[in-house]
Structure formats: structure tokens, C-alpha cells
Amino acid sequence: MSVRLTQWPLPKCWVLDANILFSPWCRVWVQTLAHHAGATLAWTSVIEEECYRNLVRLGRLHADDAQAERLSLASRCSAQVLPPERVEPYKADVRAVDDKDRHVAAAALSLKHARAEPVALLTWNIRDFPKRPLAKLGVLRFSPDELPGELGLEGSLLMQLLDRSAKNLQAELLAYPHANPTDYQAQARPLPHSSEEWAAFLQRNRLHLTAKCAGIRIL
């Protein structure tokens, strides 16, 4: 059974932190959920630059492939990329967030004001984004693992979406092949197909609540 963690409906605009974009699987999973929920995605050029700088620094992506991927990422995701000047004025309003992450919360707040409705902020670093102060501003913070419960997804439907995400990622890898594969990419494990493989995959990717909603038991 899925369990909702908040009293508010999930917003229709989701701002993605750099750590969401960092993992192709996580990004595509969030894209799949957004499409199912009728939500739109957004981030800033600063968030995007942070993501790809770290991918190159850690040897996960070749610099040339990183540049090519950045040029197509927003269109792949049908996402809005905000310029820094649009976000900067809102940093003073999100001082509850650590200085290094304030630009992410400011981006969400700027969209909240532009849309005149709450906006979701998706991040793995939930401790860096205090939930209550942001909620008072109309910015609702979630981790990717919380999304299925917030959307009321469970059982076979959730498994269908997980399978669809794996197919979407595979299709993207075929449509946008990397010209300079890294050792990290060469050693990547195959995407899961069976329930046993999904159990191990969800555990590795810290999607414990998702596994519970899907009825998958993990250790």
C-alpha cells in the first residue's frame, strides 16, 4: 500500500537538483513519473553546469559527450532551464537552506511566484532542504523515493512505470550514443528485467519506499 507523506497534492511543476540529473536512470525515472502525473520539469543553468562538471570530474562522462548531452538535455526532458538572473532575487527568501544549495530553492520559489501555485523541489539531499520552512513558501521538497507514494502508485501500475523507465533509458542510450565511452560506462550493469533484478536494483539506488509501494521485498 502506498503512503502519502504530505497533506498537499503533488505540484505540477518539479524543479530538479543536480543530483537528480547526475544519474541517467534517476532522471529518466523522474521524467517517466512526471509524464504520468502531467507535471513539467525545470532546473537552472547553474544546476545543469554543476551536474555535468561533476560527471566529467568523476570520470563518468567524457567532456565532449558532456557538452553534447547538455545541448540536448532540456529538449529531451521537455524541461525549462532558468537563467541565473531570474533566480538570484529569491535567494534572500530561502535562508533556511544552506548557502551552497540556496540557488536550487530560489529557483523553485521563483517558479512558484511565476505560476502562482506550489512547486516541488526534487533532491536526494533532503537534509539540506528543510521541509517546513520551504513548505511555508509554497516549495514542497521530496526525494525521488517519495514520489510513487505521493502519486498513489503501487503494485502492477508502479511496476509498469518502472519497466517503462528502463525501456525509455535504453531507447535514449540508443538514440544518443556517446562518442567517447568512459570506463565507468563500460562497466555499467544491465537494466533489470525480473522482479529479483528489480529488487537488487532498487536497493542499490536507494529506492526503498518505491520497492515497498511496488510490493517488492528488499533486504
Side-chain angles (χ1 to χ4, degrees):
M1 176 180 295
S2 62
V3 178
R4 294 196 70 247
L5 301 178
T6 66
Q7 60 183 331
W8 306 282
L10 192 62
K12 293 297 185 181
C13 178
W14 304 353
V15 173
L16 309 188
D17 196 359
N19 52 58
I20 305 295
L21 298 176
F22 187 83
S23 162
W25 154 256
C26 185
R27 172 178 55 78
V28 171
W29 172 232
V30 168
Q31 285 176 245
T32 302
L33 291 177
H35 184 266
H36 176 80
T40 59
L41 303 178
W43 56 80
T44 69
S45 56
V46 174
I47 290 171
E48 188 176 278
E49 193 280 331
E50 177 186 342
C51 168
Y52 283 97
R53 181 181 70 248
N54 285 316
L55 283 170
V56 173
R57 178 178 63 84
L58 295 172
R60 295 198 175 195
L61 197 59
H62 188 277
D64 292 343
D65 289 327
Q67 178 63 22
E69 189 169 297
R70 282 193 68 179
L71 292 175
S72 65
L73 186 66
S75 61
R76 292 191 207 183
C77 303
S78 299
Q80 180 180 6
V81 181
L82 306 177
E85 58 269 21
R86 178 169 170 181
V87 172
E88 191 67 29
Y90 293 92
K91 286 185 178 179
D93 298 322
V94 290
R95 289 175 180 162
V97 177
D98 187 87
D99 182 63
K100 66 180 176 61
D101 298 307
R102 203 166 289 165
H103 65 100
V104 183
L109 186 58
S110 72
L111 283 173
K112 183 265 180 183
H113 284 284
R115 297 171 64 95
E117 62 184 16
V119 168
L121 189 162
L122 303 187
T123 182
W124 281 112
N125 297 332
I126 57 176
R127 292 183 180 179
D128 295 335
F129 296 89
K131 200 174 189 79
R132 289 188 178 183
L134 288 175
K136 290 179 180 179
L137 297 172
V139 175
L140 308 183
R141 184 266 291 153
F142 302 98
S143 77
D145 198 22
E146 295 170 335
L147 288 177
E150 295 298 321
L151 291 169
L153 299 172
E154 57 189 27
S156 61
L157 175 56
L158 182 51
M159 284 306 308
Q160 289 174 22
L161 292 172
L162 285 167
D163 287 333
R164 187 179 304 166
S165 289
K167 292 177 181 177
N168 288 345
L169 178 55
Q170 190 61 51
E172 181 177 289
L173 293 173
L174 291 173
Y176 299 92
H178 292 116
N180 306 281
T182 63
D183 290 340
Y184 177 87
Q185 291 169 321
Q187 297 169 7
R189 301 185 189 185
L191 292 168
H193 297 285
S194 67
S195 57
E196 293 78 12
E197 290 175 346
W198 272 115
F201 183 85
L202 294 175
Q203 184 175 35
R204 287 198 307 273
N205 286 275
R206 298 183 292 168
L207 293 168
H208 299 91
L209 294 175
T210 300
K212 183 177 180 180
C213 290
I216 296 176
R217 183 179 179 181
I218 60 176
L219 300 178

